[in-house]
Amino acid sequence: MPAKNLTVNRAALGHRLAYALRHPDRVPRHLARSARDIWLRRRHPDHVSYYRAVMRSDTRADPDAAVGSHNRERWLALGAMQFDYLVGHGLRPEHRMLEIGCGNLRGGWRFIRHLEPGHYYGIDISPDILFAAQDTIVEMDLRQRLPTLTPVRDLTLRFLPDAHFDVVHAHSVFSHSPLPVIEECLANVGRVLAPDGWFDFTFDRTEGTEHHVLREDFYYRTETLLALAEKHGLRARFMADWEELPHRQSKIRVTHAV
């Protein structure tokens, strides 16, 4: 996988033109996404509704691609990467886990298999991708593990119990979220997190200008997200060991401040 480019502004016209010249085969796909963006902006002014519509469109075409995996082999590999990392950092079967943006259980099916029955809780803003998650449960023969899958309208987590989850996980969620959505999550996740628990999330990192592409892909400086977590009484740190893995996104871990 190519090294991360941490300074480029992918929203800049010059970059977009140069990219099109290097990859002319990708231009039709980008134009289709741009047209969809214009249409959905008019129908869904708030971001969660907008991205729910994006997921509906993408899931109809291919649930694996909708969560960022262009084939089943990559879907399995990325799920294994998430799982191995969390287990290596202490995820145990007795833990209770909340996965924010669980998608079609790319990593989730492995977590469900690893955890004790009833200890996995997955939420997503997209009912369509949760239908695909149900298919994954059947495919992987996980019905007896009693996972919970719940659609949500926002990331306030208001229906979940206090101090309940030992591990909260959000893979490739904040990479598709503007700062108000991220802040909504960080303002509320501490309430549902157990005293010794942790919250891992990935994000698209830049060391240059923060920007977004078509309201689908957002790029943030590390210090922006660290400060946002600390604003809400949480301790956050950049996970340098995740950078050693073949994944374009970066990772931050949040815990309760001591």
Side-chain angles (χ1 to χ4, degrees):
M1 177 176 291
K4 298 175 184 177
N5 189 332
L6 297 178
T7 58
V8 65
N9 184 341
R10 293 163 180 82
L13 179 60
H15 171 79
R16 292 160 64 187
L17 291 174
Y19 188 88
L21 290 173
R22 294 196 306 271
H23 305 283
D25 57 309
R26 301 181 186 178
V27 171
R29 166 64 176 158
H30 182 77
L31 292 177
R33 285 180 63 195
S34 297
R36 182 178 70 178
D37 175 67
I38 294 171
W39 171 249
L40 293 181
R41 277 176 188 259
R42 293 176 178 175
R43 299 190 65 191
H44 305 284
D46 70 286
H47 183 77
V48 172
S49 296
Y50 168 86
Y51 203 74
R52 185 178 290 119
V54 168
M55 288 298 294
R56 181 182 303 116
S57 173
D58 287 347
T59 302
R60 286 173 179 169
D62 181 351
D64 290 355
V67 298
S69 302
H70 298 297
N71 55 58
R72 180 45 63 118
E73 181 181 6
R74 185 62 176 159
W75 186 86
L76 289 168
L78 286 174
M81 188 186 305
Q82 296 172 48
F83 176 76
D84 291 343
Y85 186 84
L86 282 189
V87 170
H89 278 261
L91 177 66
R92 302 192 303 272
E94 66 269 22
H95 281 156
R96 289 183 171 88
M97 180 177 184
L98 170 66
E99 185 162 31
I100 299 171
C102 63
N104 67 336
L105 302 180
R106 178 172 58 182
W109 74 267
R110 297 176 188 271
F111 297 131
I112 293 168
R113 185 180 61 182
H114 176 70
L115 297 169
E116 293 178 2
H119 280 216
Y120 176 90
Y121 204 114
I123 64 174
D124 205 290
I125 65 165
S126 170
D128 299 88
I129 201 65
L130 289 179
F131 298 151
Q134 293 175 356
D135 295 336
T136 300
I137 289 172
V138 174
E139 177 188 352
M140 300 300 182
D141 194 22
L142 297 168
R143 286 166 287 199
Q144 301 305 313
R145 309 301 294 177
L146 299 175
T148 299
L149 302 175
T150 302
V152 294
R153 65 169 59 93
D154 54 39
L155 296 184
T156 61
L157 312 175
R158 58 183 179 171
F159 64 99
L160 296 172
D162 292 356
H164 184 73
F165 296 102
D166 303 289
V167 178
V168 180
H169 184 241
H171 185 93
S172 196
V173 174
F174 291 175
S175 53
H176 302 301
S177 302
L179 278 179
V181 173
I182 296 174
E183 181 162 18
E184 179 178 79
C185 182
L186 291 173
N188 292 283
V189 72
R191 182 185 63 79
V192 304
L193 193 63
D196 295 326
W198 75 86
F199 170 34
D200 275 13
F201 64 83
T202 63
F203 67 105
D204 280 323
R205 179 162 63 102
T206 182
E207 293 179 356
T209 302
E210 296 183 332
H211 60 281
H212 70 85
V213 179
L214 298 178
R215 291 207 303 171
E216 292 186 34
D217 302 300
F218 290 78
Y219 294 82
Y220 295 110
R221 298 175 66 89
T222 303
E223 53 266 33
T224 296
L225 300 182
L226 294 179
L228 198 59
E230 291 168 4
K231 173 184 174 181
H232 293 284
L234 301 167
R235 173 173 293 176
R237 62 187 176 98
F238 183 77
M239 301 302 285
D241 59 346
W242 175 263
E243 298 292 297
E244 301 169 6
L245 301 175
H247 197 283
R248 285 192 174 92
Q249 293 183 19
S250 296
K251 185 184 284 282
I252 286 174
R253 174 161 297 173
V254 170
T255 58
H256 288 289
V258 178

